[in-house]
Amino acid sequence: MVVNEPGRNGAALVTGMAWWTALGSDLDEVWRALLAGATGVAPVASAHPLRNDRAAAVGDLPAELGPEQRQYELAARAVRAAVSDAGLDVTDPRLRLVAGTSHGSHLDVPPDRLDRWGETLAAGLGMARRPLLVSTACSAASDALLVAAALIAEGEEEVCVVGGVDVLTPAKRLGHSALGTMSPTELRAFDERHDGTLLGEGAAFLVLERADRARERGARIRGRLSGTGSANDAAGPTAPDLSGDTVVRAVTAALAAAGRGPGEVGVLNAHGSGTPVNDDVESRGFARVFTDGKAPVVFATKGAFGHTLGATGALEAVAVLLALRDQAVPPVPGLKTALPGFPLPLPGGAAPLPFTGNVGLSITIGFGGFTTCLALEVPA
């Protein structure tokens, strides 16, 4: 299945954004740390044996917080910060929360309802309206952005605060250890030594606003979500279709919705999970999409933030907008020798890589075949 709505998603302006990560929470400080090659991955104690005890935990949360409270606190901080960055208030009656998570705290603390966490979050923040919740594995936050953009384009909403949150829990770490998707060494996206992923936690939210409303109130415009594309290969519960078809379809759909061609893309934030299967699938897909003209620079942040599951799409959307703003991408942590035949430029070493262009893409690939691409732009 492919979702492609040409021209329907172009009206969503980004007027605020924030993140809470293993590298901190200040937007520009975390971005500078990424550009410097920093990583938040470090040993995290586990009561159970794992393939690897390394993960990316948010350090300024009390250690005694349980999974539900940890998820609430991360999300609440990021939502408040994003809304404040937009010059709005969380109690604005027009504001709709659209949020994604994978399992969130649900594997460790089974809820009576899977949407309870979002209702608790909205109520705790004093928001006037019930939230919309999305759970599509590792593409959850990207799909939340897709949903919010569609609501704004259809005239159903004026302004949404949208993103994702996920937390480290024993069940998730045990699950990825047992599946063999957890690296026994380190997360090395697109490196010939890649052998798996490492988990992280965090939250990121963006304020999407109807263009005319944002301009009327004189809002600062951080960028535009100009197109979205979503595809599902239905190949299996965990592994994606190996052909790369789903990546091609999602990227092509997002570019069509944005009215852009592959040659106009300056930067691409890849899923970059470090698992051999996912890295290879992305490599095949990119080779089929970007065949002529200018090749976008590819970067990946999971080596710094860990794989934050349902939060990753929002964290990476923020990273793309900052990359477009500064015309530079951070080095890929752990990358020394790129995969043979990888078709696009990668920033190895320890220094940022400059690029030119005002169009960027963010791609997420989730269990269950969920693949989503977001096209983001800043003024030329």
Side-chain angles (χ1 to χ4, degrees):
M1 180 185 73
V2 178
V3 176
N4 179 15
E5 297 182 286
R8 299 176 73 85
N9 291 332
L13 298 182
V14 179
T15 58
M17 57 189 190
W19 52 18
W20 217 278
T21 79
L23 287 175
S25 59
D26 182 271
L27 203 63
D28 289 312
E29 285 182 9
V30 172
W31 180 242
R32 285 192 293 269
L34 288 174
L35 291 173
T39 177
V41 176
V44 176
S46 170
H48 311 282
L50 302 170
R51 294 188 86 196
N52 196 326
D53 70 350
R54 292 166 62 78
V58 173
D60 62 348
L61 288 176
E64 66 273 12
L65 286 181
E68 288 178 303
Q69 294 77 21
R70 197 172 185 86
Q71 179 164 331
Y72 176 90
E73 188 64 28
L74 274 175
R77 290 181 181 187
V79 168
R80 287 192 193 100
V83 172
S84 176
D85 187 60
L88 297 170
D89 190 277
V90 290
T91 61
D92 188 321
R94 296 163 295 185
L95 188 64
R96 172 81 78 177
L97 172 66
V98 186
T101 193
S102 63
H103 292 294
S105 60
H106 300 156
L107 290 177
D108 298 75
V109 188
D112 57 340
R113 280 187 7 223
L114 291 176
D115 62 348
R116 181 73 72 191
W117 75 272
E119 293 194 351
T120 301
L121 174 63
L125 289 168
M127 303 185 82
R129 305 172 67 191
R130 292 185 65 182
L132 299 176
L133 287 309
V134 178
S135 186
T136 48
C138 303
S139 287
S142 293
D143 287 330
L145 283 156
L146 179 153
V147 167
L151 290 170
I152 290 171
E154 293 287 349
E156 296 294 325
E157 301 291 346
E158 289 186 13
V159 57
C160 299
V161 56
V162 51
V165 58
D166 238 309
V167 289
L168 279 173
T169 70
K172 288 177 195 168
R173 299 179 77 191
L174 280 167
H176 280 270
S177 186
L179 279 171
T181 51
M182 181 182 287
S183 167
T185 57
E186 62 179 300
L187 199 165
R188 304 182 185 98
F190 305 121
D191 189 273
E192 63 179 8
R193 301 164 299 152
H194 60 178
D195 59 8
T197 199
L198 294 174
L199 297 184
E201 64 182 356
F205 283 84
L206 300 89
V207 174
L208 296 187
E209 196 164 351
R210 204 174 69 198
D212 59 346
R213 182 186 187 280
R215 293 185 177 117
E216 282 171 7
R217 72 179 185 89
R220 174 183 55 184
I221 309 303
R222 287 195 173 272
R224 182 161 64 107
L225 178 53
S226 56
T228 65
S230 180
N232 192 305
D233 55 40
T238 55
D241 174 62
L242 300 180
S243 69
D245 283 352
T246 312
V247 171
V248 173
R249 290 170 179 166
V251 172
T252 301
L255 288 173
R260 298 291 187 178
E264 296 177 88
V265 180
V267 64
L268 189 158
N269 185 278
H271 190 64
S273 67
T275 61
V277 169
N278 274 2
D279 284 2
D280 290 348
V281 165
E282 287 195 90
S283 180
R284 292 189 192 102
F286 299 158
R288 291 168 55 191
V289 173
F290 300 100
T291 56
D292 299 305
K294 177 184 171 185
V297 171
V298 174
F299 76 112
T301 58
K302 289 183 175 64
F305 292 149
H307 190 339
T308 57
L309 304 176
T312 191
L315 287 164
E316 292 168 4
V318 171
V320 168
L321 287 170
L322 293 173
L324 289 169
R325 181 194 71 182
D326 292 350
Q327 297 288 281
V329 296
V332 177
L335 176 63
K336 291 185 178 178
T337 304
L339 288 174
F342 191 83
L344 301 175
L346 280 165
L353 182 64
F355 70 92
T356 57
N358 68 313
V359 180
L361 299 179
S362 175
I363 297 171
T364 49
I365 299 175
F367 281 177
F370 295 103
T371 301
T372 300
C373 180
L374 307 174
L376 297 142
E377 302 185 26
V378 297

